[in-house]
């Protein structure tokens, strides 16, 4: 089955939806999204959107905060674009119908988070992502078609008959995607003049993560197999405060809780963060996550505490109603007792390399949101910059996409239908399905907050074996959603490990005991991986 559109969007978080809304008046839009609409990293975002609205704030302060946290690897031009264009995008969200929390005088209520020098977090209580997604979905669904499918692979020259697939092509084109209709088991061919990758994160590559089950790195894996440039995959942000023993995905305790006055303490009550950073509990995430990791290893404890008991209980419940109610489910009243917290994988600062207009190294393929590496985050993401980045750069990608479609004549090549002659082997799948937990545990144990060359090489050897098993199974069996996600997880895990082994220093979110110091002389640069794997 063949479906043709002008704009194909893979993913339905903030980046995909905002992009779809922007291009919807310029051609047919098809959105491919898997599983439930509400399952996205956007929906799980509690904190908010960092943007300059306060009279005591400035664009330059926001830029400097972002650059400082990014540990020297941010692209300043990309950061400036995000910061300067950000307030207008927030205003657009308000016009669309997003209801942000306001003060009694009607102004936006601005929160504080780690790494920021001013209050600038625009939020909707502690459910900002859910509120944004609600409003965007209501607006977008009146325009394009939404297809519930799982993307398998991008359609490029490598799928054409008569092409030497062993040769690397300098000028790769994307003409859409093969995608599985999980309800019918049918693989469809989606052809499009432009394809936007907005598939979100990859947190499920780790056993402890704040990401939903669908965050399996699909966009990065597909783009890599097609030959796109992938950058800075070693920089995985571990959110320092998730509710201990809250299951998978781990329940996130927003950074805004510390911005509101929450203090991190050991089980003995020590305010330990002051030993690691003069900003104490308001230090950036990488510093806080490593500090907690260090304290837990020294004490042997399974968690530290995040303490709000010294704050006004009514104000705490008003500002964090969702967190308050969720903790009550675990029999924790956060106004009367401290919250047990541990770090968990949260956000990927690397991804598919794009320029300032969302263009990847493949013609006709764009990327935005967590899937993309725009250069904004560098070696560490400043809190609440992710939703802002997704808004600004999906908007820019939409503008460029419309121009690309308008200025180019399109004649799709003769692209073959998907051939799926395999038979699903349940007995073999039972064995292969265990690979997911093994990948997640290996990544947590050896490619986590603190790394070493020995650990990385051990993980690489083991995951390469697992990835080969998965690939062999994938090629001979009937494709399913679980197989697609497992294949992508293995691909992304190896990209993270390869990138981490390439960087011979410690910077931002990447800390290795073999190279414990930052090395600006040799490593003030991005790590780039590019291969043809289809």
């Amino acid at each position: 089955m063949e479906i043709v559109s002008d704009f194909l969007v893979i993913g339905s978080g903030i980046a995909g939806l905002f992009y779809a809304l922007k291009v919807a008046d310029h051609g047919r839009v098809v959105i491919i999204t898997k599983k439930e609409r509400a399952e996205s990293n956007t929906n799980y975002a509690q904190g908010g959107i960092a943007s300059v609205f306060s009279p005591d704030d400035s664009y330059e302060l926001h830029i400097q905060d972002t650059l400082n946290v990014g540990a020297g690897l941010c692209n300043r031009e990309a950061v400036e674009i995000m910061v300067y264009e950000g307030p207008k995008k927030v205003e657009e969200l308000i016009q669309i119908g997003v209801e942000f929390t306001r003060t009694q005088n009607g102004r936006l209520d601005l929160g504080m988070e780690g790494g920021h020098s001013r209050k600038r977090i625009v939020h909707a209580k502690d459910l900002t992502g859910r509120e944004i997604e609600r409003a965007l979905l209501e607006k977008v669904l009146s325009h394009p078609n939404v297809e519930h499918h799982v993307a398998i692979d991008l359609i490029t020259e490598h799928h054409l008959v008569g092409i030497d697939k062993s040769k690397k092509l300098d000028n790769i084109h994307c003409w859409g995607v093969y995608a599985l209709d999980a309800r019918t088991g049918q693989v469809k061919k989606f052809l499009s003049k432009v394809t936007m990758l907005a598939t979100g994160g990859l947190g499920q590559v780790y056993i402890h993560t704040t990401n939903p089950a669908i965050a399996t790195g699909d966009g990065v894996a597909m783009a890599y197999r097609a030959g796109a440039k992938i950058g800075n995959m070693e920089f995985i942000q571990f959110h320092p405060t998730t509710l201990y023993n809250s299951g998978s995905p781990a329940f996130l305790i927003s950074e805004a809780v510390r911005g509101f006055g929450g203090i991190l303490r050991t089980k003995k009550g020590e305010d330990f963060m002051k030993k690691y950073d003069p900003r104490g509990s308001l230090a950036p995430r990488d510093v806080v996550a490593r500090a907690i990791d260090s304290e837990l290893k020294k004490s042997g404890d399974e968690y530290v505490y995040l303490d709000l008991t010294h704050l006004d209980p009514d104000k705490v419940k008003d500002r964090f109603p969702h967190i308050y109610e969720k903790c009550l489910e675990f029999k924790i009243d956060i106004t009367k007792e401290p919250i047990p917290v541990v770090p968990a994988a949260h956000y990927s600062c690397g991804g598919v390399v794009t320029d300032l207009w969302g263009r990847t190294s493949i013609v006709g393929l764009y990327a935005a949101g967590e899937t993309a590496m725009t250069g904004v985050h560098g070696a560490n993401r400043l809190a609440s910059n992710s939703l802002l980045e997704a808004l600004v750069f999906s908007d820019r990608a939409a503008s460029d996409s419309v121009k690309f479609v308008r200025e180019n004549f399109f004649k799709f090549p003769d692209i073959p239908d998907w051939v799926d002659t395999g038979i699903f082997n349940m007995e073999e799948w039972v064995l292969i399905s265990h690979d997911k937990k093994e990948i997640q545990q290996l990544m947590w144990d050896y490619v986590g907050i603190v790394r070493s060359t020995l650990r990385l090489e051990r993980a690489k050897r083991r995951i390469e074996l697992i990835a080969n098993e998965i690939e062999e199974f994938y090629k001979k069996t009937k494709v399913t959603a679980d197989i697609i996600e497992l294949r992508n997880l293995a691909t992304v895990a190896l990209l993270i490990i390869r990138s981490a082994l390439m960087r011979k220093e410690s910077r931002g979110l990447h800390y290795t005991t073999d190279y414990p110091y930052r090395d600006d002389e040799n490593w003030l640069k991005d790590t780039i991986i590019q291969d043809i794997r289809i």
Side-chain angles (χ1 to χ4, degrees):
M1 182 176 180
E2 183 175 289
I3 298 164
V4 181
S5 63
D6 297 295
F7 306 95
L8 176 64
V9 185
I10 307 175
S12 59
I14 187 172
L17 292 175
F18 201 63
Y19 174 90
L21 187 60
K22 292 289 184 172
V23 299
D25 289 333
H26 302 277
R28 188 188 178 203
V29 182
V30 172
I31 300 177
I32 295 178
T33 182
K34 62 180 185 178
K35 308 198 176 169
E36 298 301 321
R37 291 178 188 169
E39 284 291 296
S40 72
N41 279 7
T42 297
N43 202 328
Y44 279 54
Q46 293 177 356
I49 303 178
S51 200
V52 176
F53 283 98
S54 173
D56 74 337
D57 199 2
S58 70
Y59 292 134
E60 188 56 33
L61 280 173
H62 190 180
I63 290 166
Q64 285 304 319
D65 289 344
T66 302
L67 296 176
N68 290 339
V69 170
L73 282 192
C74 297
N75 177 337
R76 184 180 176 107
E77 187 176 1
V79 174
E80 289 177 349
I81 287 170
M82 178 189 72
V83 170
Y84 280 105
E85 296 183 10
K88 289 183 180 179
K89 302 309 157 202
V90 174
E91 293 288 357
E92 282 188 43
L93 288 182
I94 294 170
Q95 294 301 315
I96 289 168
V98 177
E99 296 181 3
F100 291 115
T101 301
R102 294 183 178 272
T103 61
Q104 289 184 340
N105 62 12
R107 294 178 180 173
L108 289 169
D109 182 53
L110 303 176
M112 183 75 168
E113 293 188 1
H116 290 273
S117 58
R118 295 289 189 275
K119 288 186 175 183
R120 63 169 71 100
I121 314 303
V122 181
H123 62 93
K125 299 290 186 181
D126 55 351
L127 286 170
T128 307
R130 184 178 298 180
E131 170 59 16
I132 292 171
E133 195 144 299
R134 175 202 63 77
L136 284 176
L137 272 171
E138 286 182 6
K139 192 78 173 176
V140 167
L141 292 180
S142 63
H143 258 299
N145 299 322
V146 179
E147 303 277 350
H148 291 267
H149 293 72
V150 181
I152 302 172
D153 269 322
L154 298 173
I155 298 172
T156 65
E157 280 85 352
H158 310 103
H159 293 97
L160 304 184
V161 177
I163 295 290
D164 183 353
K165 298 176 184 178
S166 66
K167 290 184 179 179
K168 186 167 184 174
L169 301 176
D170 294 327
N171 193 27
I172 306 171
H173 294 74
C174 178
W175 291 296
V177 71
Y178 290 111
L180 172 72
D181 186 335
R183 293 166 295 189
T184 65
Q186 180 186 12
V187 175
K188 300 176 184 177
K189 184 170 53 177
F190 288 84
L191 302 183
S192 185
K193 298 172 183 177
V194 166
T195 301
M196 161 58 80
L197 280 178
T199 57
L202 47 80
Q204 286 295 323
V205 80
Y206 288 94
I207 202 161
H208 301 295
T209 179
T210 62
N211 289 189
I214 65 169
T216 51
D218 303 330
V220 173
M222 287 191 297
Y224 166 69
R225 288 194 294 266
K229 290 181 180 178
I230 310 296
N232 288 359
M233 293 296 289
E234 69 271 35
F235 298 121
I236 303 295
Q237 189 171 73
F238 290 81
H239 198 289
T241 55
T242 69
L243 181 61
Y244 172 70
N245 213 20
S246 58
S248 181
F251 181 70
L252 186 149
I253 306 297
S254 171
E255 190 131 1
V257 172
R258 288 185 282 126
F260 197 71
I263 297 173
L264 286 163
R265 302 186 188 277
T266 63
K267 290 178 78 172
K268 293 181 179 179
E270 178 193 2
D271 179 3
F272 64 89
M273 275 308 304
K274 292 177 181 177
K275 296 187 300 186
Y276 297 91
D277 192 284
R279 289 165 288 191
S281 293
L282 278 176
R285 290 178 180 178
D286 61 325
V287 177
V288 177
R290 278 198 299 275
I292 293 174
D293 184 70
S294 175
E295 289 296 318
L296 295 180
K297 284 175 178 172
K298 284 191 292 186
S299 67
D301 294 332
E302 294 179 305
Y303 54 83
V304 296
Y305 282 124
L306 181 55
D307 185 11
L308 291 81
T309 58
H310 57 288
L311 302 174
D312 184 319
D314 291 331
K315 289 182 178 178
V316 169
K317 286 187 280 188
D318 179 66
R319 176 62 178 85
F320 305 108
H322 181 55
I323 293 173
Y324 177 76
E325 292 296 332
K326 188 68 176 182
C327 287
L328 277 182
E329 291 178 19
F330 288 85
K331 304 192 184 322
I332 301 166
D333 183 340
I334 65 174
T335 65
K336 297 177 181 177
E337 53 195 318
I339 310 167
V341 294
V342 292
H346 183 58
Y347 190 89
S348 171
C349 290
V352 184
V353 177
T354 70
D355 65 8
L356 299 176
W357 294 96
R359 294 177 290 222
T360 73
S361 55
I362 295 178
V363 178
L365 180 67
Y366 292 75
E370 192 172 348
T371 306
M373 192 201 91
T374 62
V376 161
H377 303 311
N380 184 22
R381 175 178 69 96
L382 179 64
S384 288
N385 265 355
S386 54
L387 294 180
L388 185 69
E389 180 207 31
L391 282 171
V392 169
F393 286 95
S394 62
D395 179 75
R396 292 173 69 84
S399 175
D400 196 77
S401 296
V402 170
K403 182 181 177 184
F404 180 79
V405 169
R406 186 172 61 243
E407 294 180 355
N408 288 278
F409 173 77
F410 290 91
K411 187 177 187 302
F412 294 110
D414 187 14
I415 297 167
D417 292 333
W418 183 267
V419 178
D420 194 2
T421 57
I423 299 173
F424 188 76
N425 185 326
M426 177 56 75
E427 186 176 354
E428 191 173 354
W429 170 247
V430 170
L431 299 175
I432 293 293
S433 63
H434 290 288
D435 288 340
K436 181 178 180 179
K437 276 195 174 179
E438 192 169 350
I439 291 170
Q440 292 173 325
Q441 193 67 59
L442 284 167
M443 291 297 289
W444 185 260
D445 291 343
Y446 301 136
V447 199
I449 297 170
V450 176
R451 303 160 179 176
S452 71
T453 301
L454 179 66
R455 294 177 189 175
L456 292 171
E457 289 177 342
R458 184 182 180 94
K460 184 172 181 285
R461 286 193 302 271
R462 295 192 175 195
I463 293 179
E464 279 178 340
L465 288 172
I466 294 169
N468 288 334
E469 287 180 359
I470 294 168
E471 194 65 24
E472 287 177 14
F473 182 75
Y474 165 80
K475 286 178 179 177
K476 67 185 181 184
T477 193
K478 189 173 179 63
V479 70
T480 68
D482 288 337
I483 294 168
I484 294 166
E485 290 184 336
L486 183 57
R487 183 185 185 220
N488 290 338
L489 278 177
T491 298
V492 168
L494 287 173
L495 286 171
I496 294 169
I497 295 167
R498 284 177 61 187
S499 295
L501 282 168
M502 288 168 67
R503 186 167 291 279
K504 310 296 185 185
E505 64 158 356
S506 289
R507 181 188 298 271
L509 299 166
H510 173 68
Y511 183 84
T512 170
T513 56
D514 292 285
Y515 305 94
Y517 303 109
R518 177 168 155 174
D519 180 3
D520 282 357
E521 183 177 349
N522 297 301
W523 285 101
L524 197 60
K525 58 185 178 183
D526 299 322
T527 53
I528 305 295
I529 296 175
Q530 185 180 28
D531 302 307
I532 297 290
R533 291 286 170 163
I534 289 176

